[in-house]
Amino acid sequence: LVGFVVGFALQQTKWHDMTPFVDPILLILITIFALPVPIKILLSNVREIVSMAPPDSFVSQIQGQLEKATRDIPLEDYEFRVVKQGRQTFILVHLMVSDEFHFNTVADLDAIRKKMKQQILEFNPEIVMEVLFIKDKEWAKLK
C-alpha cells in the first residue's frame, strides 16, 4: 500500500521519472528488515553442524536426567559433555565412583549403563550416550 501511495504521489511531482524505482526500493527495504530471521536460523544450524554445545536449557535438562539415573550409584562426582550434531545429541558421561562402589563382572557395569540409557532415552530418543567408570579425577578432568 505504501508503495502504491508513494508511486502515485511521485507521479504528480517533477520527480515522476523516479516512479519505476519505487517497487525495487521497497523490496530492498523489506529484505533488509526481514534478513535477521533467516540469518539467526542459519547461524543456529551452522553451530549444530560444527558440533557446538546445545543450548544451556537443554544441557540442564540432561543433567537432571543424569542425576535421576545415577541416584543409586555410589559416586564421588560425575561429569558429562554434550555435543549436538543435527538431530542427534552425543553425551559422554564420566562417573567417578566412590570406594563403596563394587562390581563382580563387566555385565554389572553394562546393567548400570543400560539403566542410565533407558532413563536418558525416555527423555530424548535421539541421544547417543557413552558411560565411563573412573576412580581418578585426572581421567575426566573433573571440576
Side-chain angles (χ1 to χ4, degrees), residues 5-143:
V5 170
V6 170
F8 180 75
L10 203 56
Q11 283 182 337
Q12 311 307 320
T13 67
K14 63 182 178 180
W15 295 300
H16 59 82
D17 292 340
M18 301 297 284
T19 303
F21 300 106
V22 171
D23 272 346
I25 290 171
L26 285 174
L27 187 59
I28 289 169
L29 290 174
I30 289 170
T31 303
I32 288 171
F33 285 115
L35 208 52
V37 173
I39 287 175
K40 285 180 185 176
I41 292 170
L42 177 69
L43 291 176
S44 172
N45 291 338
V46 166
R47 192 170 73 146
E48 285 185 11
I49 289 171
V50 296
S51 300
M52 299 201 57
D56 290 339
S57 60
F58 185 72
V59 173
S60 63
Q61 289 175 330
I62 289 173
Q63 183 174 9
Q65 294 299 320
L66 285 174
E67 286 175 5
K68 286 181 194 174
T70 58
R71 215 177 267 151
D72 300 334
I73 304 169
L75 299 176
E76 287 186 23
D77 203 356
Y78 73 94
E79 180 186 71
F80 66 99
R81 295 181 180 114
V82 182
V83 175
K84 186 162 174 45
Q85 284 184 318
R87 291 182 180 169
Q88 282 195 323
T89 303
F90 299 91
I91 304 174
L92 175 62
V93 182
H94 291 104
L95 298 177
M96 188 174 148
V97 297
S98 68
D99 291 332
E100 293 84 37
F101 182 82
H102 297 287
F103 69 97
N104 293 322
T105 66
V106 175
D108 295 341
L109 298 176
D110 287 342
I112 294 171
R113 287 185 186 101
K114 184 177 181 179
K115 178 183 171 191
M116 289 179 65
K117 181 179 177 182
Q118 287 172 344
Q119 176 78 34
I120 295 296
L121 291 181
E122 285 176 15
F123 164 68
N124 184 335
E126 295 173 347
I127 289 179
V128 176
M129 182 174 69
E130 290 188 36
V131 179
L132 303 175
F133 296 89
I134 62 171
K135 184 67 182 142
D136 186 354
K137 283 185 180 183
E138 280 301 309
W139 286 104
K141 294 192 171 104
L142 295 171
K143 304 162 192 149

